[in-house]
Amino acid sequence: MVLNVVTISGSLRKASYNTALMRALPELAPSNLHLAEAPPYDGMPLYNADVQAAGFPGEVTTFADAIRKADGIIIVSPEYNWTIPGGLKNALDWVSRLENQPFREKPVAIQSATGGPLGGARMQYHLRMALTYLNAFVFGTPEVFVGLAQTKFDPHTLELRDEPTKRVIADQLAVFAKFAARFKG
Amino acid sequence: MVLNVVTISGSLRKASYNTALMRALPELAPSNLHLAEAPPYDGMPLYNADVQAAGFPGEVTTFADAIRKADGIIIVSPEYNWTIPGGLKNALDWVSRLENQPFREKPVAIQSATGGPLGGARMQYHLRMALTYLNAFVFGTPEVFVGLAQTKFDPHTLELRDEPTKRVIADQLAVFAKFAARFKG
Amino acid sequence: MVLNVVTISGSLRKASYNTALMRALPELAPSNLHLAEAPPYDGMPLYNADVQAAGFPGEVTTFADAIRKADGIIIVSPEYNWTIPGGLKNALDWVSRLENQPFREKPVAIQSATGGPLGGARMQYHLRMALTYLNAFVFGTPEVFVGLAQTKFDPHTLELRDEPTKRVIADQLAVFAKFAARFKG
Amino acid sequence: MVLNVVTISGSLRKASYNTALMRALPELAPSNLHLAEAPPYDGMPLYNADVQAAGFPGEVTTFADAIRKADGIIIVSPEYNWTIPGGLKNALDWVSRLENQPFREKPVAIQSATGGPLGGARMQYHLRMALTYLNAFVFGTPEVFVGLAQTKFDPHTLELRDEPTKRVIADQLAVFAKFAARFKG
């Protein structure tokens, strides 16, 4: 069964390790997992109910549409101040206000990369809670934490070079594919 | 001892109950607590290390300066999707990157108002964690949760009308004033 | 489809509002949800790997067996110090060490009652995280929080008397029955 | 200024890495930090208000007394199922019911050791929240996470052998000594 999965990076900078990690996923995924990057969310204004009253910004509805059409989501995000980056949270805040809330009953896996050794455990925690509230089917284990990211990606091309990390990721994607298949159709 | 305290609302809409709650604080505070609203953060771009590399936006440094000068901070915020609003988190993400991180060793109290009955407990939780990471002195109890906010504020003027809520707030502010005084000078 | 659901109370005292809430569930559940109370966990020793090395206590394996056989679980618990009661957590710690970990792929809903107004939101949060780690299918919304419990139960019989609370519970149980049915067979 | 600090291990097994870590602290602490292990809590029954009504167990009051007399506390704990071990939580639940709650206004630092790479970040998180509720002064950063503990302690003597880990711990203890001194006298 083919599963169309949308990937989201929680970092907005160009040379982000998290975006690099997100881009490493297609080659590590089982063949029935078709991965595509979510539309950008970096042009969304800060959530404000007064702005919403004037109509949802186009970037919000485009982002939400991509999630609604997907059979699963993978979010790859840094941790800022022990929790979710404000920009990523802002995107969730926007789409959570849509009538047909897009994360509802979507299988979602989480990965994270950080320069420090911990690899983003606390961000994953809070993100799982927000997604549980949105009635997503939040994937549990195996988890993927890429600590000391600067030692695991090629400094020039940002390709993922670390073989043990690749195996952990391939493991998660294989288990996630079975998890997501449960909820399709 | 006079304590200059900066107040921050986590909501950006004009008729916000949280902003209304923030504005109700001066009349409920002990006389030595001088409250002033923080400069706006709604013009900050989404945090992006590439933008930071080109220089911190003026709104970030102005906001941070106000916090640095204060003897304490009170954050009054709604809860979005069981955690911190993205816009407020984005402001914290920005100031956390400054060299002289402004929340360091600042006493911080938290309040929240929501339309539902719970009053924002989960947001307060996550916000406390982010602030602990920033080495703020995070105030514990008594807590202030204003649930069913629509029944407690005047629908036209947004003045706080509920006497039991006022007493809870006055209690917290009195205890917080003593807490904050410990860290001054 | 009949669903056999095991209920667990997080409180050990006899006149517990949470145990009373747990006992109110059968009459509020849809007819296909068959509820039975979990075996006791109050005789489990504090978890200690040295004790485990000498063999799992009988109360641990009996408790785990009941969960393994169930089509779903409902945990009804107080909040102690903003998080999970130690006794309930101790039971989870024990069963998490079993080879055939019993919560794996079990649908789990959470409810809570407290004397204060909040109704246990923070306990629910942490409990959801522990259950996500155990690869349970953690139910999201609608949530059940019974705040000010002393006003909602008969002080003598501990019967649930509050009609709005009954409706909220019946709503959750109806949605949870559909959620749990997805994972059966 | 001499600071008497009580240390608590969250693990009950004899050959625990967390207990070994706790025992490594005295030689890494600044000379004014006098460390002593807390009395045992492994004989406390599971918290039950009916048991409390018959009188607090002696182990609870002895444990609480040691904390009350201390100028600071350091808790060194494993992570069980992404959160606080049930046994340690049970000890906190008991002492939280005492009239003169012992953690009130006590500076508390947290450390953790785990066999996995993360080192207990999520447990630290939840423990900080419980302590904030108890109105402790919860120490922020630098944090101590000892991941892959089996590579850092002597397998026979359980002495801490890893020099980088020792330096991180010594750093935390030095900063914590200054933090705790603020609250003494």
Side-chain angles (χ1 to χ4, degrees):
Chain A
M1 180 197 294
V2 167
L3 294 160
N4 291 300
V5 169
V6 162
T7 59
I8 301 171
S9 170
S11 174
L12 299 177
R13 75 182 175 109
K14 283 214 177 95
S16 157
Y17 290 120
N18 281 283
T19 303
L21 175 56
M22 176 183 76
R23 288 181 179 155
L25 301 182
E27 67 163 305
L28 299 168
S31 60
N32 68 320
L33 221 58
H34 294 197
L35 303 181
E37 294 180 24
Y41 62 82
D42 63 341
M44 293 183 195
L46 297 182
Y47 177 76
N48 180 329
D50 296 334
V51 175
Q52 177 190 331
F56 281 90
E59 208 171 89
V60 172
T61 53
T62 302
F63 185 81
D65 283 344
I67 290 165
R68 271 193 211 102
K69 280 178 200 145
D71 301 313
I73 317 289
I74 301 174
I75 303 179
V76 185
S77 177
E79 174 179 292
Y80 291 168
N81 302 305
W82 283 0
T83 178
I84 308 167
L88 174 61
K89 181 63 189 356
N90 187 59
L92 297 181
D93 290 346
W94 270 110
V95 302
S96 73
R97 303 292 178 146
L98 289 165
E99 253 185 58
N100 180 9
Q101 190 261 99
F103 283 98
R104 180 166 195 84
E105 307 210 332
K106 293 294 178 190
V108 186
I110 302 175
Q111 302 186 352
S112 53
T114 57
L118 287 190
R122 291 168 292 215
M123 177 284 304
Q124 292 203 12
Y125 229 53
H126 285 190
L127 188 50
R128 274 201 179 83
M129 280 293 89
L131 292 164
T132 299
Y133 174 71
L134 296 173
N135 289 293
F137 292 120
V138 181
F139 181 76
T141 65
E143 303 171 88
V144 173
F145 299 108
V146 182
L148 304 173
Q150 62 285 3
T151 68
K152 293 170 182 164
F153 291 85
D154 182 290
H156 301 295
T157 65
L158 288 177
E159 273 179 275
L160 179 60
R161 294 287 195 210
D162 189 62
E163 292 303 322
T165 299
K166 285 185 181 182
R167 280 193 296 276
V168 168
I169 293 170
D171 279 356
Q172 193 202 55
L173 295 176
V175 180
F176 180 63
K178 282 178 200 151
F179 179 85
R182 262 186 115 126
F183 300 105
K184 177 158 187 180
Chain B
M1 180 197 295
V2 167
L3 294 161
N4 291 299
V5 169
V6 161
T7 59
I8 301 171
S9 169
S11 175
L12 299 178
R13 76 181 174 108
K14 282 212 178 97
S16 157
Y17 290 118
N18 282 282
T19 303
L21 175 55
M22 176 182 76
R23 289 183 178 154
L25 301 182
E27 67 164 303
L28 301 168
S31 61
N32 67 320
L33 221 59
H34 293 195
L35 303 180
E37 295 180 25
Y41 62 81
D42 63 340
M44 293 184 195
L46 297 182
Y47 177 77
N48 179 329
D50 296 334
V51 175
Q52 177 189 332
F56 281 90
E59 207 171 270
V60 171
T61 52
T62 302
F63 185 81
D65 282 345
I67 291 165
R68 270 194 212 101
K69 279 176 202 148
D71 301 314
I73 317 289
I74 300 174
I75 303 178
V76 185
S77 177
E79 175 180 292
Y80 291 169
N81 302 305
W82 283 359
T83 178
I84 309 166
L88 174 61
K89 181 64 188 359
N90 187 58
L92 297 181
D93 290 346
W94 269 111
V95 302
S96 73
R97 304 291 178 145
L98 289 164
E99 252 184 59
N100 180 9
Q101 191 262 98
F103 283 98
R104 180 166 196 84
E105 307 210 333
K106 293 295 177 191
V108 185
I110 301 174
Q111 302 187 353
S112 53
T114 58
L118 287 189
R122 292 168 292 217
M123 176 285 303
Q124 292 202 11
Y125 229 52
H126 285 190
L127 188 51
R128 274 201 179 83
M129 281 293 89
L131 291 164
T132 300
Y133 174 72
L134 295 174
N135 289 294
F137 293 120
V138 180
F139 181 76
T141 64
E143 304 170 88
V144 173
F145 300 108
V146 182
L148 304 173
Q150 63 283 3
T151 67
K152 293 170 182 164
F153 291 85
D154 182 290
H156 300 295
T157 64
L158 289 177
E159 272 179 276
L160 180 60
R161 295 285 194 211
D162 189 62
E163 292 303 322
T165 300
K166 284 185 180 181
R167 280 193 295 275
V168 168
I169 293 169
D171 279 356
Q172 193 200 56
L173 295 175
V175 181
F176 180 63
K178 283 178 201 151
F179 179 85
R182 262 186 114 127
F183 300 105
K184 176 157 188 181
Chain C
M1 181 197 294
V2 167
L3 295 160
N4 291 299
V5 169
V6 162
T7 58
I8 301 170
S9 170
S11 175
L12 299 177
R13 77 181 174 109
K14 282 212 179 96
S16 156
Y17 290 119
N18 282 282
T19 303
L21 175 56
M22 177 183 75
R23 290 184 177 152
L25 301 182
E27 66 162 304
L28 300 168
S31 60
N32 68 321
L33 220 57
H34 293 196
L35 303 181
E37 293 181 25
Y41 62 82
D42 62 341
M44 293 183 194
L46 296 183
Y47 177 77
N48 178 330
D50 296 334
V51 175
Q52 177 189 331
F56 282 90
E59 208 171 270
V60 171
T61 52
T62 302
F63 185 81
D65 283 344
I67 290 164
R68 271 193 211 102
K69 280 177 201 146
D71 300 315
I73 317 289
I74 301 174
I75 303 177
V76 185
S77 178
E79 174 179 292
Y80 291 169
N81 302 306
W82 283 358
T83 177
I84 307 167
L88 174 62
K89 182 63 190 352
N90 187 57
L92 297 181
D93 290 346
W94 268 110
V95 303
S96 73
R97 302 292 178 144
L98 289 164
E99 253 185 57
N100 181 9
Q101 191 263 98
F103 283 99
R104 180 166 195 84
E105 307 210 334
K106 294 292 178 192
V108 186
I110 301 173
Q111 301 186 355
S112 54
T114 58
L118 285 190
R122 291 166 292 214
M123 178 283 304
Q124 292 204 11
Y125 228 53
H126 285 190
L127 188 50
R128 276 202 177 82
M129 281 293 89
L131 292 164
T132 300
Y133 174 72
L134 295 173
N135 288 294
F137 293 120
V138 181
F139 181 76
T141 65
E143 304 171 88
V144 173
F145 300 106
V146 182
L148 304 172
Q150 63 283 2
T151 67
K152 293 172 183 164
F153 291 86
D154 181 291
H156 302 295
T157 64
L158 288 176
E159 272 179 277
L160 180 60
R161 294 287 194 210
D162 189 62
E163 293 303 322
T165 300
K166 285 185 181 183
R167 280 193 296 275
V168 167
I169 293 170
D171 279 356
Q172 192 201 55
L173 294 176
V175 181
F176 180 62
K178 283 177 200 151
F179 179 85
R182 264 186 112 128
F183 299 106
K184 176 157 187 180
Chain D
M1 182 196 294
V2 167
L3 294 161
N4 291 298
V5 169
V6 162
T7 58
I8 301 171
S9 170
S11 174
L12 299 177
R13 76 183 174 107
K14 283 213 177 97
S16 156
Y17 289 119
N18 282 283
T19 304
L21 175 55
M22 177 183 75
R23 290 185 176 151
L25 301 182
E27 67 162 302
L28 300 168
S31 60
N32 67 321
L33 220 57
H34 293 196
L35 303 181
E37 294 180 25
Y41 62 82
D42 62 342
M44 293 183 194
L46 297 182
Y47 177 77
N48 179 329
D50 296 334
V51 175
Q52 177 189 331
F56 282 90
E59 209 170 90
V60 171
T61 52
T62 303
F63 185 82
D65 283 344
I67 290 164
R68 269 192 213 103
K69 280 176 202 148
D71 301 315
I73 317 288
I74 300 175
I75 302 179
V76 185
S77 177
E79 174 179 292
Y80 291 169
N81 302 306
W82 282 0
T83 177
I84 307 166
L88 174 61
K89 182 63 190 354
N90 187 57
L92 297 181
D93 290 345
W94 268 111
V95 302
S96 74
R97 302 293 177 142
L98 289 164
E99 251 184 59
N100 181 8
Q101 191 263 100
F103 283 99
R104 179 166 197 85
E105 307 211 333
K106 295 293 178 190
V108 186
I110 301 174
Q111 301 187 354
S112 53
T114 57
L118 286 190
R122 291 168 291 215
M123 177 283 304
Q124 292 203 10
Y125 227 54
H126 285 191
L127 189 50
R128 274 201 179 84
M129 280 294 88
L131 292 164
T132 300
Y133 174 71
L134 296 173
N135 288 293
F137 293 120
V138 181
F139 181 76
T141 65
E143 303 171 89
V144 173
F145 300 107
V146 183
L148 303 172
Q150 63 283 0
T151 67
K152 293 171 182 164
F153 291 86
D154 182 291
H156 301 295
T157 64
L158 288 176
E159 273 179 276
L160 180 60
R161 294 287 196 210
D162 189 62
E163 292 304 322
T165 299
K166 285 185 181 182
R167 280 193 295 276
V168 167
I169 293 169
D171 280 356
Q172 192 201 55
L173 294 176
V175 181
F176 179 63
K178 282 178 201 153
F179 179 84
R182 262 186 113 128
F183 301 105
K184 178 159 187 180

